[in-house]
Structure formats: C-alpha cells, structure tokens
Amino acid sequence: MDVITRRILMIGRPIPALLRVGIAFVSPLIVVVIFFTSIVEYIPPKYGAYTYPSLARVLGWTIVTVTLLPIFIQAFYILRKPGGSLIKKMKHYLKPLDTWGPCEAEKGAEFHDKKHKYNKRCFKDLLYYNVFGDYPSSSSMFTIENPELDLLNNHEERI
C-alpha cells in the first residue's frame, strides 16, 4: 500500500520509522529467537516441586499439534496443486484478494485505483522503504510516489 493511501485510509500520517522497523524486522527476529531457544532449552514444566507426568506433557503437545495441523495441511494441499513453481504459488497466495480493501465506496475506489501501481515493488524497494521511510532514488517507485506525495502535502496545506 502506498504512503498516500496509508495516510488517508489508516491513521492520517505515515507510520513512524521506529514502528516500521520494529514490525518489519525486530518483532519477527524476537519470535524466531524465542521459538528456537524454547526448542533447544526445553525443560519439562513444573509447579513448585511438582513435575508434571509425561502423559500430561504428551497431552499438551497433542493439543498444540491438533490445533496447528490443519494450517499446515491446508498449506501443503494448496502448494501441491499443479500450476507454476513453488515461488510463484507462494507469491500468489501471500497477496490479499482483490476484494480486500476499505469498505467505504469512496475510499475503496481510491484504494483500488492506486493499488495497481504498487504491485510491481521488489523486495529491495520494500526493505529500503521499511528502513528509511522512502524508496531509493534509483527505484521506479520513487518517480511514482513523490509527485503524489507533493500533491497530498499541497492539499494538506490548503486545509
């Protein structure tokens, strides 16, 4: 989603840099570290001096597995369908549906008009944007975004 759409449709201003970096990099890193640390340093649960029996631990892991298993089964089923490479399928299924967007007709039309321009961004552009809050000057997004930002800023000054 572009900066203008984010400003108008979400919070009325760009997402602060610290929050962008936190959401894009810090949070996923922390989750991965916690996950792998909990696997490597697993200690059977205790309550004071009482250690839970093996059956209780097995039951707990069974509940977790039964809850998460449908997600992995569905993902495996979808990715095993014929038609395209694994990377193509992942790109297709990780994008929101075309019907996704604002429910208000006016804002929905504006969102869908601008959305097609921003579908061509590459990973490098998104990474750079999340770190610095702007696209690199060598990017095609730089030439698309800046005139729209100027237009928005001029509009905000008049209000």
Side-chain angles (χ1 to χ4, degrees), residues 79 83-91:
L79 294 176
S85 68
L86 179 65
I87 301 294
K88 258 187 179 178
K89 290 180 197 175
M90 292 291 287
K91 282 182 179 180

Side-chain angles (χ1 to χ4, degrees), residues 4-5 13 59 66 114:
I4 292 174
T5 306
R13 63 183 186 283
L59 183 61
V66 166
K114 293 181 180 196

Side-chain angles (χ1 to χ4, degrees), residues 1 95-96 98 114-122 141:
M1 189 181 312
K95 286 184 180 176
D98 288 336
K114 293 181 180 196
K115 183 174 82 170
H116 74 279
K117 291 189 240 177
Y118 297 91
N119 287 339
K120 303 277 187 235
R121 293 178 293 184
C122 66
M141 294 307 299

Side-chain angles (χ1 to χ4, degrees), residues 8-81:
I8 294 170
L9 301 178
M10 305 266 308
I11 58 176
R13 63 183 186 283
I15 298 172
L18 188 60
L19 187 59
R20 259 193 336 267
V21 170
I23 291 170
F25 305 109
V26 177
S27 295
L29 180 67
I30 289 172
V31 169
V32 168
V33 167
I34 290 172
F35 176 73
F36 284 113
T37 303
S38 66
I39 288 174
V40 171
E41 297 182 2
Y42 177 75
I43 300 169
K46 292 182 183 180
Y47 184 72
Y50 178 74
T51 303
Y52 289 98
S54 297
L55 181 60
R57 290 194 307 263
V58 168
L59 183 61
W61 283 108
T62 302
I63 290 170
V64 168
T65 304
V66 166
T67 304
L68 294 177
L69 198 59
I71 297 168
F72 292 106
I73 290 172
Q74 182 69 21
F76 181 75
Y77 171 74
I78 287 172
L79 294 176
R80 293 282 299 162
K81 285 182 179 178

